[in-house]
Amino acid sequence: MKSTFPQLRLPIALSFGKKTPFSFQVQKPRSSKLGDFRYRKDRKIQTITINSDLNPFQFLLTFIHEVAHLHTFEKFGNSLTPHGNEWKKEFQSLMSPLLTNSIFQMTS
């Protein structure tokens, strides 16, 4: 199963790469993680990977999660904890435009 972004969210997701360009790869499924961003000092352009077996919404959330790591790293370097307050603020900022009923359909 190959994952894709929920169709209406692709332009928003692509805009994240304008702030900080990065390489993006869809990987074979890994049991230990859904996605990954790791800083590599030997690379000018960093890489984000996402597992291929995620449903579209898991894929989108994981993508945003990893982009938040990239942006946080760009702002603060390696001195922070991976899911600390700075990362949480960045993740919230990236998620904010997506938190509408038209994107995440609410059921009662």
Side-chain angles (χ1 to χ4, degrees):
M1 174 175 145
K2 190 152 190 157
S3 287
T4 58
F5 286 104
Q7 188 176 19
L8 298 174
R9 278 46 91 203
L10 187 57
I12 294 169
L14 292 176
S15 73
F16 297 156
K18 291 179 182 176
K19 180 178 180 182
T20 304
F22 58 90
S23 172
F24 178 67
Q25 299 172 359
V26 177
Q27 299 278 333
K28 64 182 180 177
R30 298 164 285 193
S31 61
S32 61
K33 56 187 163 186
L34 302 178
D36 189 48
F37 162 74
R38 288 204 183 131
Y39 173 70
R40 298 235 351 227
K41 64 181 174 184
D42 62 330
R43 294 190 178 168
K44 188 173 185 174
I45 303 286
Q46 300 302 314
T47 300
I48 289 174
T49 62
I50 305 292
N51 289 2
S52 63
D53 62 340
L54 305 180
N55 74 49
F57 292 101
Q58 289 173 314
F59 195 91
L60 178 62
L61 288 170
T62 303
F63 176 79
I64 293 168
H65 177 108
E66 301 306 337
V67 170
H69 281 300
L70 171 64
H71 288 183
T72 303
F73 173 80
E74 289 291 321
K75 290 179 187 175
F76 302 103
N78 274 335
S79 63
L80 303 175
T81 58
H83 297 109
N85 288 334
E86 294 82 0
W87 177 86
K88 289 175 185 176
K89 288 178 186 173
E90 185 64 28
F91 182 74
Q92 183 178 27
S93 171
L94 294 172
M95 282 298 298
S96 183
L98 303 174
L99 297 177
T100 66
N101 284 340
S102 64
I103 294 175
F104 292 98
Q105 307 251 327
M106 303 295 204
T107 58
S108 47

